[in-house]
Amino acid sequence: MASSLSSKPFLGASRTDGLSGLCSISSDLRNLSSPSVQFLIRPRTLRKLQVQAAGNTYGNFFRVTTFGESHGGGVGCVIDGCPPRMPLSEADLQGDLDRRRPGQSRITTPRKETDTCRILSGVHEGVTTGTPILVLVPNTDQRGRDYDEMSIAYRPSHADRTYDLKYGVRSVQGGGRSSARETIGRVAAGAVAKKILKAFSGTEVLAYVSQVHKVVLPEESVNHYTLALDQVESNIVRCPDAEYAEKMIAAIDAVRVKGESIGGVVTCIVRNCPPGLGSPVFDKLEAEFAKAVLSLPATKGFEFGSGFAGTFLTGSEHNDEFYLDEQGKIRTKTNRSGGTQGGISNGEIINMRIAFKPTATISKKQNTVTRDKHEIELIARGRHDPCVVPRAVPMVEATIALALVDQLMAHYAQCHMFPINPELQEPLRVTEVEAAEEAALHS
């Protein structure tokens, strides 16, 4: 998926120049009188400098490549590294794609897409084969003419200008690859990742809207041990608290009729995450999460655990003290660390928050510049969300699941090839009974 952009030798040295000196040295050594000394000198091979340019693939062990443009023939993904013999059907993916699709309610974009997926490879007779899985979702409701003006003028806070700067050409309609429609491939792959996590270790990834503009859901309003998907999906804004959900919907409605937009925050939790995921120093688990979610469109901030609020605490106030629970397991009394220490999961609930900016496309007149450098006024057209956070919920879940599966496979490969140390380590698998008992303790 990468391309070689340069193949010139370092420092401009030629192969002939580099070898001439070696040949003369070899000749001199052969003239030595001592037969007991022998040297083997191999010609030096100059390596080519290669720049790997891609940006459309995520993961090392569970690799996902997304493809397609907003108004092209379709979008989708290729999943490589999925374990074989796992039951998988299009219905397993469709549920999350339906949560992500446009036209769900009055507070989302009115674009009408069914986002019906097709699995074209990697699954045979209902089970994965271990070979690459190709998922395709056709585009059916394109309106390319809505973007005629944007072909010559840059939309404020969009990627139009930077794509031109990088590539010198771009797909104008709908923003091309910079459109949130690209996330269909991530959500489809994330559904597979969530199924692997649930089946192998009982791990669950759940996200919900915790803030819309100035409406902020109090942290104590949601019990992360008992939170269920049907609570999140009980209203169109995907906030599990009914009272605050109504306030959020009202805030979105207020700006929607004015042609404006607002942003918000999505909170994501991971339950029953196996301890030991993540690696020092550069591949800390929260660092992998941050890279994954900040690659989503419209993201502007990431907090993990106590986040920025933790900066107001002292060490004794912030530290998570250890204790032994009823089963004799080492736990923490608090969870300000967010479920990791030293970048490695500790078995507690993982929690994070992702900030999304107001949707860039609004129907108000704005000042901008054309491709040929003329200042003009522009009213952007097209169909867009007045607030992206309700539809961002399944996108965040999918992206976190992809990072977790990749880290789970890496941890399994390195640390579980041989029997674990039972005095210090725990098995990766968690039964459904154990997960239910854990939830019951905190209900």
Side-chain angles (χ1 to χ4, degrees):
M1 302 306 298
S3 57
S4 178
L5 301 184
S6 174
S7 59
K8 293 183 179 180
F10 285 110
L11 304 179
S14 70
R15 294 181 182 271
T16 305
D17 293 342
L19 295 176
S20 60
L22 293 175
C23 293
S24 63
I25 293 174
S26 179
S27 176
D28 292 339
L29 289 173
R30 282 194 294 268
N31 293 330
L32 290 174
S33 58
S34 174
S36 62
V37 179
Q38 294 184 346
F39 294 87
L40 178 62
I41 299 179
R42 297 178 179 176
R44 181 182 175 188
T45 301
L46 297 178
R47 298 197 171 191
K48 295 180 180 180
L49 172 63
Q50 293 185 336
V51 179
Q52 304 296 324
N56 299 294
T57 300
Y58 177 81
N60 295 305
F61 298 88
F62 190 87
R63 294 177 62 84
V64 177
T65 300
T66 69
F67 61 84
E69 288 82 27
S70 175
H71 281 59
V75 292
C77 65
V78 177
I79 306 167
D80 201 4
C82 180
R85 303 180 304 281
M86 182 183 76
L88 186 68
S89 68
E90 290 158 347
D92 292 321
L93 316 182
Q94 197 61 53
D96 279 347
L97 289 175
D98 289 341
R99 297 170 67 208
R100 194 225 70 93
R101 70 175 175 82
Q104 298 178 38
S105 68
R106 68 177 186 274
I107 63 172
T108 65
T109 170
R111 180 172 176 171
K112 299 296 182 182
E113 295 278 3
T114 62
D115 285 354
T116 303
C117 70
R118 296 174 56 200
I119 297 177
L120 302 183
S121 70
V123 176
H124 180 66
E125 295 183 347
V127 297
T128 56
T129 61
T131 57
I133 300 170
L134 173 62
V135 182
L136 174 66
V137 174
N139 293 328
T140 60
D141 188 22
Q142 303 101 315
R143 292 184 186 177
R145 292 182 179 178
D146 286 348
Y147 299 89
D148 288 346
E149 290 174 306
M150 276 75 90
S151 65
I152 59 172
Y154 295 126
R155 294 168 294 175
S157 287
H158 270 278
D160 302 340
R161 173 62 175 151
T162 50
Y163 267 56
D164 271 357
L165 285 170
K166 181 172 180 64
Y167 299 110
V169 65
R170 63 187 166 92
S171 175
V172 173
Q173 289 82 6
R177 287 289 286 168
S178 67
S179 167
R181 192 145 182 81
E182 175 273 331
T183 63
I184 284 178
R186 306 191 204 200
V187 171
V192 179
K194 286 198 284 186
K195 185 164 186 176
I196 295 171
L197 290 167
K198 181 69 173 176
F200 183 81
S201 55
T203 304
E204 297 177 289
V205 183
L206 279 172
Y208 61 91
V209 175
S210 56
Q211 179 181 337
V212 168
H213 197 42
K214 297 179 181 179
V215 182
V216 182
L217 178 69
E219 289 188 16
E220 64 273 11
S221 299
V222 181
N223 186 336
H224 287 171
Y225 289 95
T226 59
L227 178 67
L229 179 61
D230 58 357
Q231 292 176 262
V232 177
E233 295 297 312
S234 63
N235 54 73
I236 59 177
V237 79
R238 294 199 167 95
C239 172
D241 185 282
E243 178 186 350
Y244 277 85
E246 289 302 318
K247 295 178 182 179
M248 293 175 181
I249 294 170
I252 297 173
D253 279 335
V255 298
R256 177 177 59 88
V257 296
K258 298 176 182 178
E260 266 286 7
S261 65
I262 50 178
V265 175
V266 172
T267 294
C268 185
I269 65 166
V270 181
R271 286 197 299 245
N272 302 320
C273 178
L277 304 195
S279 302
V281 170
F282 298 107
D283 297 331
K284 293 179 178 179
L285 189 59
E286 58 264 47
E288 292 298 312
F289 288 154
K291 177 182 178 180
V293 295
L294 289 177
S295 70
L296 287 168
T299 50
K300 286 298 178 185
F302 176 80
E303 279 192 332
F304 192 85
S306 63
F308 288 98
T311 63
F312 295 101
L313 304 178
T314 63
S316 60
E317 292 171 328
H318 190 274
N319 286 346
D320 297 318
E321 294 184 343
F322 292 108
Y323 78 101
L324 294 176
D325 68 7
E326 293 85 346
Q327 285 78 38
K329 291 184 178 181
I330 299 176
R331 303 289 301 275
T332 59
K333 293 182 179 179
T334 53
N335 192 23
R336 299 184 187 95
S337 298
T340 69
Q341 268 108 29
I344 299 172
S345 61
N346 61 10
E348 302 294 337
I349 286 182
I350 293 172
N351 64 83
M352 66 203 85
R353 291 163 298 283
I354 302 93
F356 288 83
K357 69 175 183 177
T359 312
T361 302
I362 57 177
S363 58
K364 284 194 170 184
K365 186 179 294 185
Q366 299 177 91
N367 296 318
T368 189
V369 176
T370 63
R371 262 178 158 176
D372 55 358
K373 299 183 179 179
H374 289 89
E375 293 182 343
I376 65 167
E377 290 183 332
L378 174 70
I379 297 179
R381 308 187 191 282
R383 299 156 292 172
H384 303 276
D385 297 82
C387 181
V388 300
V389 290
R391 292 177 61 213
V393 167
M395 301 178 197
V396 169
E397 290 178 0
T399 307
I400 293 301
L402 292 176
L404 276 172
V405 162
D406 200 46
Q407 291 298 309
L408 176 63
M409 290 184 173
H411 178 61
Y412 187 90
Q414 181 187 13
C415 300
H416 284 254
M417 287 187 69
F418 298 99
I420 63 172
N421 182 347
E423 295 181 1
L424 299 175
Q425 295 176 289
E426 298 177 12
L428 290 178
R429 286 185 177 272
V430 175
T431 67
E432 292 187 8
V433 173
E434 291 172 324
E437 290 175 349
E438 173 68 17
L441 287 173
H442 297 86
S443 61

